[in-house]
Amino acid sequence: MTNRRIVLAGTGSGVGKTTITIGLMAALQQKGYLVQGFKCGPDYIDPSYHSAVTGRTSRNLDSWMLPEETINEVLLRGSKGADISIIEGVMGFFDGRDSLSNEGSTAHISEITNSPVLLIVNCASMARSAAAIVKGFQSIPHEANIVGVIANRVGSKNHYLIVKQAIEQECGIPVVGYVLKNEELSIPERHLGLVPSIERGELNDFFERLGRLLSETIDIESIYKLAETVEVQPPTRGIFSKEKNNGPVRIAVAKDEAFNFYYPENLELLEAKGAELVYFSPVKGETLPDKVNGLYLGGGFPEEFASNLAENISMKQSIYDAIKDGLPTLAECGGFMFLTEELITTNGQSFPMVGVIPGKVAMQKKLVALGYREIKGTDANPLLQKGMTAKGHEFHYSTYENLGDVPYAYETKGLRGKKLEGYLKDNLVAGYTHFHFGSCPEMVDNWMACCRGYVYA
């Protein structure tokens, strides 16, 4: 179904959006509903939770990276067959690209998709003042439809009833339930090893328990009713419109504990353009699959598995030889780090990587770069040709130190200005930026053409 969805928004970061989102997903599933997850913004981690809970691939809805019609196309495709879609917000409800507009915010996504909104409020140490907070969110001019409130971190049921009465009297919308202040409800293992632990099913018991706890204090059926809205209209001509292709192309995709940051639409667009995706695991020592025409090395946590990656000599050599031979390759962030000569961890340990990119990367204890990027190709970029623009996101704790003149892959523009970024050599395009192909589908066409022109050695 496409007419039942709801946004879980927060008054700010850290109010408990992710915990309540996955708990609500689990609770709905326990009632027999098929649930589809979405995440506002560019994040990869929270969608991995959604996917683990629901058994369906969660998807990103980002109003800065993607046009409005594409956002609705992603929503329509992702929600197919589901009874209800749960859209987790990002940061505070109105927080987005800048302070003067809703662009890139949860509010913007709710407006574009005509989705009702549940506002999550941290009610610790307040009573009637909670109504003032909700009233404030209602007062800023916007088209979003805030239909209810969840009171988080209340001290007791009586505390909740006070908050509920105040909000419903002053704001005219229902408070559909509450979550007690409880340290056991915080998500365990929220660290760099998160995704592997989820994929192994180690958090299933936690998800089950969380769903049952939320069912005790939140009216799940009321939320299901509040989620009913208008149907999503299919695009006139979407990015997944069927087009003729000129024969099969095999693209190897690294997918394991170290490399797992891929927007689902990136992979699906490649398939829609005629690619056969062949997955392999560098961490497990699997060499590059035979007879491939391209290679996609996504982001992730190579630093967490540096020892495994360093020890797999034959795997690294197979990748090195293929790229040197001209295999069309896109490496993003973790994939870019993996292709350098050396990775140095925060404790000073050094691990040899593939070595096809001169220089080394060193992990830092503080965040090095974070934010949206507008990306323009350089003259020789085979995927993002000069004059083309794509959008993406940068987030990393490492720095790249080159050992000579670097042929940059592209120019990025963020809030702090422009910079040349990445590494370009023949058919290799690598850098810290994560692309969203939905922002520039022509990039996929170029990659496919490049792959078809590569003769496998």
Side-chain angles (χ1 to χ4, degrees):
M1 295 173 64
T2 59
N3 66 335
R4 203 177 291 273
R5 56 190 177 273
I6 199 157
V7 173
L8 295 188
T11 54
S13 295
V15 300
K17 291 190 299 293
T18 301
T19 301
I20 292 176
T21 294
I22 64 176
L24 180 57
M25 288 174 171
L28 284 162
Q29 290 212 141
Q30 288 163 5
K31 287 183 173 291
Y33 296 117
L34 289 176
V35 183
Q36 172 63 43
F38 293 93
K39 171 69 180 181
C40 298
D43 178 54
Y44 292 102
I45 299 295
D46 290 343
S48 70
Y49 277 109
H50 304 170
S51 300
V53 175
T54 65
R56 297 169 61 103
T57 301
S58 181
R59 298 162 185 276
N60 297 77
L61 302 175
D62 192 298
S63 62
W64 187 81
M65 291 198 295
L66 300 177
E68 292 187 11
E69 191 172 56
T70 302
I71 289 169
N72 280 319
E73 183 178 9
V74 171
L75 179 63
L76 182 64
R77 284 169 53 86
S79 61
K80 187 176 181 179
D83 296 312
I84 183 171
S85 294
I86 305 297
I87 305 171
E88 181 185 350
V90 60
M91 300 183 291
F93 186 47
F94 295 111
D95 301 325
R97 175 66 173 169
D98 59 57
S99 61
L100 300 178
S101 76
N102 285 346
E103 185 183 24
S105 70
T106 303
H108 197 200
I109 291 295
S110 68
E111 293 166 6
I112 292 169
T113 62
N114 286 303
S115 299
V117 178
L118 280 178
L119 188 64
I120 299 170
V121 181
N122 179 358
C123 296
S125 304
M126 69 174 68
R128 183 171 167 79
S129 296
I133 293 174
V134 176
K135 195 75 170 178
F137 276 80
Q138 291 177 316
S139 67
I140 293 180
H142 58 86
E143 297 176 7
N145 181 20
I146 301 176
V147 297
V149 173
I150 293 177
N152 195 22
R153 296 173 186 154
V154 299
S156 64
K157 185 175 181 179
N158 285 337
H159 178 199
Y160 161 67
L161 292 174
I162 294 171
V163 167
K164 176 180 172 68
Q165 290 171 349
I167 292 174
E168 291 182 346
Q169 174 183 282
E170 298 297 332
C171 306
I173 55 176
V175 183
V176 296
Y178 65 98
V179 180
L180 290 170
K181 202 183 306 181
N182 185 345
E183 291 184 1
E184 293 182 6
L185 291 181
S186 59
I187 300 171
E189 298 189 45
R190 193 177 178 93
H191 54 69
L192 292 185
L194 169 67
V195 172
S197 66
I198 285 181
E199 291 179 346
R200 291 194 300 264
E202 294 174 6
L203 298 181
N204 288 349
D205 289 344
F206 171 74
F207 296 151
E208 174 77 13
R209 188 171 70 254
L210 184 59
R212 298 203 179 282
L213 281 172
L214 262 61
S215 292
E216 293 175 2
T217 58
I218 294 177
D219 190 340
I220 305 300
E221 289 298 336
S222 286
I223 292 176
Y224 188 76
K225 292 176 183 176
L226 288 171
E228 188 169 3
T229 182
V230 298
E231 290 190 1
V232 177
Q233 297 303 310
T236 305
R237 179 174 173 81
I239 60 174
F240 289 96
S241 298
K242 295 295 182 182
E243 296 181 7
K244 293 181 180 179
N245 61 67
N246 301 312
V249 167
R250 280 168 55 89
I251 296 180
V253 181
K255 187 77 182 294
D256 57 21
E257 297 92 336
F259 306 101
N260 46 62
F261 287 178
Y262 298 96
Y263 293 119
E265 288 70 33
N266 283 16
L267 302 175
E268 292 167 0
L269 271 170
L270 287 169
E271 291 178 319
K273 299 289 185 178
E276 174 193 353
L277 303 184
V278 186
Y279 295 94
F280 74 109
S281 170
V283 167
K284 293 179 181 177
E286 295 175 359
T287 57
L288 189 71
D290 292 335
K291 298 183 179 177
V292 293
N293 309 99
L295 171 61
Y296 192 3
L297 289 166
F301 308 117
E303 68 275 15
E304 292 294 299
F305 303 91
S307 179
N308 298 68
L309 295 170
E311 291 170 359
N312 291 319
I313 305 299
S314 60
M315 174 272 295
K316 292 190 296 179
Q317 191 65 46
S318 71
I319 294 173
Y320 179 93
D321 291 342
I323 293 176
K324 281 292 187 180
D325 188 60
L327 180 69
T329 300
L330 175 62
E332 300 173 326
C333 202
F336 165 60
M337 295 163 61
F338 177 51
L339 294 183
T340 64
E341 295 176 317
E342 182 183 6
L343 191 157
I344 302 171
T345 62
T346 52
N347 61 10
Q349 285 186 283
S350 176
F351 296 94
M353 295 288 105
V354 174
V356 75
I357 295 177
K360 58 187 177 181
V361 292
M363 299 305 302
Q364 309 297 317
K365 294 182 178 179
K366 294 183 179 180
L367 187 64
V368 173
L370 169 66
Y372 286 119
R373 298 291 183 262
E374 186 175 300
I375 313 135
K376 291 185 177 180
T378 54
D379 290 350
N381 191 314
L383 307 187
L384 193 66
Q385 297 170 357
K386 187 176 182 181
M388 293 176 60
T389 301
K391 290 184 176 182
H393 191 260
E394 188 175 347
F395 180 90
H396 55 94
Y397 281 79
S398 70
T399 55
Y400 168 61
E401 178 184 335
N402 68 75
L403 301 180
D405 292 333
V406 173
Y408 293 103
Y410 38 75
E411 177 190 85
T412 62
K413 179 183 177 182
L415 290 177
R416 296 184 179 181
K418 299 178 181 179
K419 66 177 180 179
L420 291 171
E421 213 267 287
Y423 177 85
L424 176 66
K425 180 71 172 178
D426 300 323
N427 286 333
L428 168 62
V429 178
Y432 274 119
T433 303
H434 293 276
F435 290 89
H436 198 303
F437 295 166
S439 69
C440 184
E442 297 81 7
M443 183 179 177
V444 181
D445 294 325
N446 291 341
W447 194 3
M448 295 293 287
C450 193
C451 289
R452 291 191 179 99
Y454 172 72
V455 179
Y456 185 83

